[in-house]
Amino acid sequence: EIRGMKSLKILCLDKNRISVIPPEILSCIEITELHLGNNRIKELPRELGYLKNLKKLMIYKNELSEIPEEIGHCQALQILDISCNNITMFPEGIYHCSLSELHCDENPLLEHLPVLSQNVNDVFYLKELCARMILQSFKDRNSILRKQATVRPDVLNLLKDARKCVLCDKSYLFSWLECVHFVDAKAVLKLSNRAGNIPIRACLCSYECFYSESHNYFAVSYPT
């Protein structure tokens, strides 16, 4: 029934014991307000990014542990309420939203606290090394490897999920180092309702990048 409501603007499903967001909702691309508070939702689907007109997302008091990077496709998003969930940090995609208000109280957000650590060397599986070599070859129009890869649909399908290191800009596929950096909520994110630092997720391609100098990315450590 919802799928046929293409012109739907505001949808409120608060307090409905929902555990999974109905996929039909994500086909209503005209939605500007989506209220899903006080449910049992554990995951936001990547297809959330289809809602290009979404301005207000209220998903407080659920069981979310992360926000997908695809939220960055919701560039019209102005108000996000994820209070009372299990969020530890925000995706990089949040930079692309038009947020003016972010409500995230009562989440176990990461804090900038020093802990002891040991240097670790990079060890990559052969599949990751090959993927990185092919991805690097895409920068050279004359590369034989690039030409061979572009006529293999299976290879291109495998590489479509590749991402880039926030430090060196090199591509990686399966192996990365999850880090975090802390940004000023008002100065950087331009939030009107929140002060202090917000933890933003960042992925580095290797420990070699992590151990390089002059960056503000920190390794993530969870209590045991």
Side-chain angles (χ1 to χ4, degrees), residues 102 104-105 109 183-187 191-198:
L102 173 62
C104 55
D105 295 327
L109 295 176
V183 301
D184 189 289
K186 287 193 174 182
L191 299 177
S192 62
N193 72 312
R194 192 172 186 86
N197 290 328
I198 297 290

Side-chain angles (χ1 to χ4, degrees), residues 92-137:
E92 291 180 89
I94 202 169
Y95 286 124
H96 303 297
C97 300
S98 303
L99 288 181
S100 60
E101 292 185 23
L102 173 62
H103 303 274
C104 55
D105 295 327
E106 296 189 47
N107 279 284
L109 295 176
L110 292 176
E111 298 180 8
H112 185 187
L113 299 173
V115 295
L116 293 175
S117 65
Q118 294 180 337
N119 285 6
V120 180
N121 294 321
D122 289 306
V123 178
F124 297 120
Y125 288 106
L126 181 60
K127 194 173 184 179
E128 174 70 13
L129 290 172
C130 291
R132 293 191 181 199
M133 186 181 300
I134 296 172
L135 289 165
Q136 184 65 23
S137 75

Side-chain angles (χ1 to χ4, degrees), residues 67-183:
I67 302 172
E69 286 289 342
E70 286 72 15
I71 198 170
H73 298 316
C74 303
Q75 296 185 11
L77 188 63
Q78 298 174 3
I79 300 175
L80 174 61
D81 190 342
I82 56 157
S83 303
C84 304
N85 278 283
N86 298 310
I87 304 295
T88 57
M89 54 184 161
F90 296 91
E92 291 180 89
I94 202 169
Y95 286 124
H96 303 297
C97 300
S98 303
L99 288 181
S100 60
E101 292 185 23
L102 173 62
H103 303 274
C104 55
D105 295 327
E106 296 189 47
N107 279 284
L109 295 176
L110 292 176
E111 298 180 8
H112 185 187
L113 299 173
V115 295
L116 293 175
S117 65
Q118 294 180 337
N119 285 6
V120 180
N121 294 321
D122 289 306
V123 178
F124 297 120
Y125 288 106
L126 181 60
K127 194 173 184 179
E128 174 70 13
L129 290 172
C130 291
R132 293 191 181 199
M133 186 181 300
I134 296 172
L135 289 165
Q136 184 65 23
S137 75
F138 285 174
K139 297 180 179 180
D140 181 3
R141 289 182 175 274
N142 298 316
S143 169
I144 296 177
L145 185 57
R146 176 181 183 273
K147 293 177 180 178
Q148 292 176 335
T150 52
V151 296
R152 291 284 303 273
D154 56 330
V155 173
L156 295 178
N157 185 60
L158 181 66
L159 299 178
K160 65 180 175 57
D161 292 325
R163 299 179 62 188
K164 289 189 175 182
C165 175
V166 296
L167 277 182
C168 70
D169 203 41
K170 291 182 179 179
S171 298
Y172 60 86
L173 188 58
F174 303 108
S175 302
W176 64 85
L177 177 62
E178 184 178 59
C179 295
V180 63
H181 63 128
F182 298 87
V183 301

Side-chain angles (χ1 to χ4, degrees), residues 32-74:
T32 59
E33 291 189 21
L34 183 55
H35 298 257
L36 295 166
N38 230 321
N39 282 294
R40 300 172 180 173
I41 299 170
K42 295 183 178 180
E43 182 179 11
L44 286 176
R46 297 172 63 178
E47 292 78 9
L48 180 71
Y50 294 159
L51 304 181
K52 306 291 186 182
N53 298 304
L54 188 64
K55 294 182 179 180
K56 189 174 185 178
L57 176 59
M58 312 296 284
I59 195 161
Y60 55 87
K61 292 186 178 180
N62 276 280
E63 300 174 18
L64 298 173
S65 58
E66 65 178 354
I67 302 172
E69 286 289 342
E70 286 72 15
I71 198 170
H73 298 316
C74 303

